[in-house]
Amino acid sequence: MKSIVEKNGIRILAGGLVFLLAATVSCVRPSAPARITIVGTNDIHGVLWPVAAFWRETPDPPPVGGFAALSYYVNRVREERENVIVLDAGDFFQGTPEGNLSLGMIPLAAMNRIGYDALALGNHEFDFGVEPVVELAAAADFPFLAANLKVVDPALPDFFRDYAIIEAEGVRILVIGVITPNLFYVTEPDLTGLLSVGEVERAVSRVMEETAGEWEVCVVLSHIGFEGDRELAAAVEGIDFIVGGHSHTGLTEPVAVGSTLITQTFGRNTTVSVLTFGFCRREGSVTTVDYELIELDYAEGTRDPEMEAFLEEATAEIRARMDVEIARAAEGLNRGRDLKSSPLGSFVADAIREAAGADLAFQNRAGVRADLPAGAVTRRRVFEISPFENTAVAAELTGAELAELIGHLFRREGYAHDFSDGVLITVDPDSTGADRIVEISWEGRPLRPDRRYRVATNSFLAASLSRRLPPDRAVEFKDTGIPVRRALERSIGARPEFSYEFKPRVRGLNEEPGGESIMEPIEIAPERGVY
């Protein structure tokens, strides 16, 4: 359980921790250190209003965050401290009706009002292609950064930079942006011929060398995930701080790798990382560092009324469309955290199978982005479960080809998938990868190698598979044109009193049907490109 303390009415996850750097130096007047604060956000995903504090180990966590709470907190920090820099580590708009339907313009307008200083591009910025990002960059009052990303289409403008240099109290701070090198694998629009993405370490080293002498403090604004940040800090010397994103890894303490400190929040506009450091001009180095992970309280007196009024007006039309009840769920469905099939992921697979008229279907677990609680089911709730513009796609495969494809799904460690009703996959929990699979059956019988099956999934996963599979093993999925979200709405709305009889589709060897899972829970791996 994360410790939560109160300080001046603000909830802090872990206290105000002060870190004395190994290279701490004496810095006395008249060379008193400059004090600079970096407020960091990441993976906002279009969340404008408060959401449940999902990291809390309580049955009913309170609502926290949203732009009104964030604006209030940033304004308060600026009143209390002189040198405040506000940075975002990417994936700022995709994930809510307001974010998606405005193509990011509503979240961007809120960030402009707060006064962000820079943003690192995230993979989900490109979910609607490049042109919307170009328009967002033109409308932003702050630069978009990505040093390992290049424009290769001459028709596109240079809509982002490698870095920005921000001066605070005479201290020049180099802020380098980086994006996941897996960009082309985790974005459905084909970016080939438009952009190219390169190695993170090489890009950061290049910028640091090219700008040597122009800065005193180096910050990497990163959308590569926590594990990637650790690798970057170990590989490149001279980075003072990494303000991270992509993996939604809430760090209640900064993680030190060598002389680099790494920070990140839980994302979804719920928490902010607040890092205050001293810089000794005489010695030209960072001294002590204060760090807090702040939970954004959403209550009377802790939210900006002007921001709230702006959001109410800007989102009125979208809220009227999305906050419509389509059914009531008798009980909730969750996404699960192990290799055993999850109720909600299995329901999504069932909806895809039905939409595509297929024999069976599969769905990537990380593509199911929210649980379905009991009670009212609105269009917004369905949108939160499936916020992507994915469609149902289908292919004709022999049993042998299907078994090979499912083996590929199991081969990728840290990635879980769900299957439609009628599928039963028996696995050996003591094995790894594709070797886990003992048997695959459909409708109570093992797959027949020579029989043809109509197999469905979502368009993102199909595109990702086409890039990862060898050319001679590629599967040609055909698009039905039916959005996955519409398929879910149809399946839920067809039963006003919605209920779902869940049957496990993946079970451990020697596991009793309907019994407890004997498989160890896995951590789904956002740092490797699923978020």
Side-chain angles (χ1 to χ4, degrees):
M1 179 71 177
K2 304 291 189 299
S3 62
I4 302 176
V5 299
E6 295 274 349
K7 188 169 81 174
N8 298 326
I10 296 173
R11 284 194 293 246
I12 302 173
L13 305 181
L17 302 174
V18 179
F19 295 83
L20 297 176
L21 303 187
T24 295
V25 297
S26 173
C27 193
V28 297
R29 296 186 184 279
S31 298
R35 298 284 291 173
I36 299 165
T37 296
I38 298 175
V39 176
T41 59
N42 57 274
D43 302 283
I44 290 174
H45 283 290
V47 174
L48 308 184
W49 311 101
V51 296
F54 49 85
W55 58 89
R56 288 213 197 175
E57 297 172 4
T58 56
D60 297 302
V64 297
F67 273 115
L70 174 62
S71 180
Y72 171 85
Y73 179 75
V74 172
N75 289 340
R76 180 167 174 177
V77 171
R78 284 176 173 146
E79 290 173 359
E80 296 173 351
R81 310 179 196 187
E82 291 185 4
N83 306 294
V84 179
I85 298 169
V86 185
L87 304 175
D88 184 80
D91 280 4
F92 77 92
F93 80 86
Q94 196 281 346
T96 63
E98 290 79 6
N100 286 30
L101 296 178
S102 73
L103 293 178
M105 285 298 181
I106 293 176
L108 179 69
M111 296 172 81
N112 279 341
R113 294 173 77 93
I114 287 171
Y116 272 76
D117 294 287
L119 173 144
L121 287 170
N123 53 291
H124 284 299
E125 266 71 90
F126 296 96
D127 278 1
F128 299 90
V130 175
E131 287 300 331
V133 192
V134 173
E135 294 179 8
L136 287 167
D141 295 338
F142 48 89
F144 289 4
L145 308 179
N148 62 323
L149 193 65
K150 299 299 175 188
V151 173
V152 296
D153 183 351
L156 287 174
D158 292 325
F159 59 96
F160 58 90
R161 310 178 194 172
D162 290 352
Y163 66 92
I165 295 179
I166 301 170
E167 188 169 328
E169 201 174 330
V171 179
R172 296 169 300 175
I173 301 162
L174 173 66
V175 181
I176 307 171
V178 291
I179 191 170
T180 172
N182 290 329
L183 176 64
F184 283 23
Y185 293 103
V186 296
T187 305
E188 186 177 351
D190 189 356
L191 304 177
T192 305
L194 302 173
L195 305 170
S196 67
V197 64
E199 295 180 8
V200 171
E201 292 86 352
R202 183 176 298 177
V204 171
S205 297
R206 172 182 57 79
V207 172
M208 292 175 71
E209 292 171 5
E210 290 176 354
T211 59
E214 300 177 25
W215 51 272
E216 286 83 32
V217 176
C218 179
V219 177
V220 174
L221 191 54
S222 156
H223 196 83
I224 62 174
F226 177 61
E227 290 304 321
D229 290 338
R230 289 168 61 96
E231 293 169 5
L232 173 62
V236 180
E237 293 184 7
I239 301 171
D240 295 293
F241 308 111
I242 296 178
V243 178
H246 190 46
S247 56
H248 305 200
T249 308
L251 298 175
T252 55
E253 300 179 10
V255 172
V257 177
S259 61
T260 303
L261 292 182
I262 302 169
T263 72
Q264 191 173 159
T265 80
F266 289 105
R268 294 184 60 75
N269 215 354
T270 57
T271 45
V272 292
S273 61
V274 184
L275 187 151
T276 300
F277 65 92
F279 183 82
C280 183
R281 296 182 181 87
R282 186 180 67 185
E283 300 293 337
S285 61
V286 172
T287 56
T288 58
V289 176
D290 253 333
Y291 177 81
E292 297 169 337
L293 182 65
I294 301 292
E295 187 177 274
L296 295 170
D297 191 21
Y298 184 80
E300 290 294 334
T302 62
R303 52 186 192 253
D304 178 354
E306 292 184 6
M307 177 66 80
E308 202 156 43
F310 161 74
L311 294 175
E312 290 281 354
E313 181 179 356
T315 64
E317 183 179 340
I318 294 174
R319 285 185 288 114
R321 290 165 54 190
M322 301 305 298
D323 296 335
V324 176
E325 184 175 318
I326 60 173
R328 297 194 66 82
E331 58 185 22
L333 300 178
N334 63 50
R335 292 167 286 173
R337 298 298 293 178
D338 60 22
L339 287 176
K340 192 175 182 179
S341 46
S342 74
L344 184 54
S346 299
F347 173 71
V348 174
D350 283 351
I352 292 172
R353 180 198 60 184
E354 183 178 350
D359 296 314
L360 66 154
F362 57 93
Q363 162 73 29
N364 52 319
R365 184 80 55 81
V368 182
R369 300 305 285 262
D371 292 332
L372 177 67
V377 181
T378 62
R379 286 200 177 99
R380 178 180 299 277
R381 181 65 68 183
V382 176
F383 198 107
E384 291 169 349
I385 292 169
S386 181
F388 310 108
E389 304 307 307
N390 298 334
T391 55
V393 300
E396 300 287 336
L397 300 177
T398 66
E401 291 168 335
L402 177 56
E404 184 177 2
L405 180 61
I406 292 175
H408 177 80
L409 297 178
F410 275 78
R411 192 171 291 118
R412 301 188 68 208
E413 294 296 325
Y415 294 81
H417 297 79
D418 285 301
F419 298 84
S420 58
D421 191 22
V423 175
L424 182 61
I425 302 173
T426 304
V427 301
D428 181 353
D430 295 326
S431 298
T432 59
D435 292 337
R436 282 193 181 100
I437 298 175
V438 176
E439 182 182 67
I440 304 171
S441 65
W442 178 72
E443 300 292 353
R445 297 182 178 182
L447 288 181
R448 287 169 46 190
D450 57 345
R451 175 179 168 166
R452 299 194 71 80
Y453 298 85
R454 183 169 169 83
V455 182
T457 187
N458 66 71
S459 54
F460 165 79
L461 187 51
S464 179
L465 286 168
S466 71
R467 298 183 190 114
R468 295 183 184 278
L469 291 171
D472 61 338
R473 295 288 188 271
V475 178
E476 185 179 352
F477 286 94
K478 294 184 179 179
D479 201 330
T480 67
I482 301 172
V484 171
R485 199 158 51 238
R486 187 190 304 167
L488 290 174
E489 278 197 28
R490 286 176 178 173
S491 293
I492 294 172
R495 293 161 280 182
E497 292 297 325
F498 172 70
S499 62
Y500 180 63
E501 184 180 352
F502 168 63
K503 300 174 183 176
R505 289 95 198 256
V506 178
R507 70 178 183 187
L509 189 65
N510 301 322
E511 183 179 326
E512 291 294 327
E516 291 295 317
S517 174
I518 62 174
M519 290 175 279
E520 291 294 322
I522 63 166
E523 283 300 318
I524 295 175
E527 67 275 7
R528 282 178 280 171
V530 297
Y531 276 96

